[in-house]
Amino acid sequence: MRLLVTGFGPFSRVIDNPSEVLARESGMAHKILAVSYAAVTDFLNSVSEEDFDALLMLGVAPTRHRFEIEFFGRNMRGGAPDVEGVSLPGTIDSEAPAIFGSTLWTPVVVNRLGERVAVSRDAGDYLCNDLLFRTLSTFRSRAVGFLHVPPFMAMSKASQLEALKCICSELNLAYANGEYEPVQIAG
């Protein structure tokens, strides 16, 4: 499986974004995005379905203490400005549904990961959710998912890298074994 991993650069009080470090050191093909709506648009315009089989996007959640897989991208944005000062509150796409379900987190993968991850049904209302929703909308025939990671002071870099490599391995194994049926979760 051709797995593409993304991470975000610095923003606000997050000078060294763990998602950037993890994406770079994952051993997978990766892209780093600035924390801006324009960067998300540029990313979506720069990749095609032929570039990857699965897309794992990472973002830091400063208040979390473990990895959390996101099951939904919601068609909404809050009012917080991005690193360029742009604020786009409201609906992301007026012609799209209210929610897209992740297509990366299969029952097999979620069960195998067990206690290594928590499950989240709310990716927030900032760039993490924006990226997840827009990517799910754009790449409907690819496995797409988002993983929130904690700051390194809550979970060490070494522990996070080990856990991320395990997640990537499980994704590859499920794909190789033909176990890839997207998880179906009611909103």
Side-chain angles (χ1 to χ4, degrees):
M1 170 173 67
R2 296 168 303 141
L3 180 62
L4 176 61
V5 179
T6 70
F8 281 111
F11 70 101
S12 186
R13 294 184 303 251
V14 179
I15 306 302
D16 295 315
N17 194 325
S19 71
E20 176 178 4
V21 174
L22 293 170
R24 286 191 196 285
E25 296 185 24
S26 68
M28 302 292 160
H30 65 276
K31 300 234 182 213
I32 307 303
L33 286 68
V35 181
S36 77
Y37 296 106
V40 171
T41 299
D42 290 346
F43 169 71
L44 293 172
N45 290 335
S46 72
V47 295
S48 71
E49 289 186 351
E50 290 75 37
D51 294 330
F52 61 90
D53 298 312
L55 176 59
L56 174 58
M57 299 167 290
L58 308 175
V60 66
T63 61
R64 298 186 188 173
H65 293 80
R66 60 190 287 187
F67 283 8
E68 290 191 14
I69 56 178
E70 298 295 346
F71 275 131
F72 302 109
R74 299 185 189 281
N75 191 357
M76 51 78 78
R77 294 181 182 121
D82 66 13
V83 296
E84 297 172 351
V86 174
S87 177
L88 300 172
T91 302
I92 296 171
D93 182 347
S94 62
E95 296 179 16
I99 294 174
F100 280 122
S102 174
T103 53
L104 183 66
W105 306 117
T106 69
V108 170
V109 170
V110 172
N111 286 335
R112 284 186 188 148
L113 293 176
E115 296 296 317
R116 292 186 199 105
V117 297
V119 172
S120 171
R121 296 172 185 264
D122 186 355
D125 65 0
Y126 194 44
L127 267 293
C128 294
N129 178 71
D130 184 80
L131 175 63
L132 177 58
F133 182 85
R134 292 172 64 191
T135 304
L136 286 165
S137 178
T138 303
F139 299 112
R140 294 184 188 201
S141 70
R142 291 291 184 254
V144 173
F146 198 95
L147 178 70
H148 266 119
V149 302
F152 288 142
M153 67 181 148
M155 183 179 180
S156 74
K157 174 183 169 183
S159 294
Q160 289 196 50
L161 273 171
E162 180 182 333
L164 178 61
K165 289 180 180 181
C166 177
I167 289 169
C168 292
S169 177
E170 290 296 343
L171 293 171
N172 277 309
L173 180 63
Y175 192 86
N177 290 341
E179 302 165 336
Y180 232 86
E181 292 298 322
V183 97
Q184 301 296 318
I185 297 180

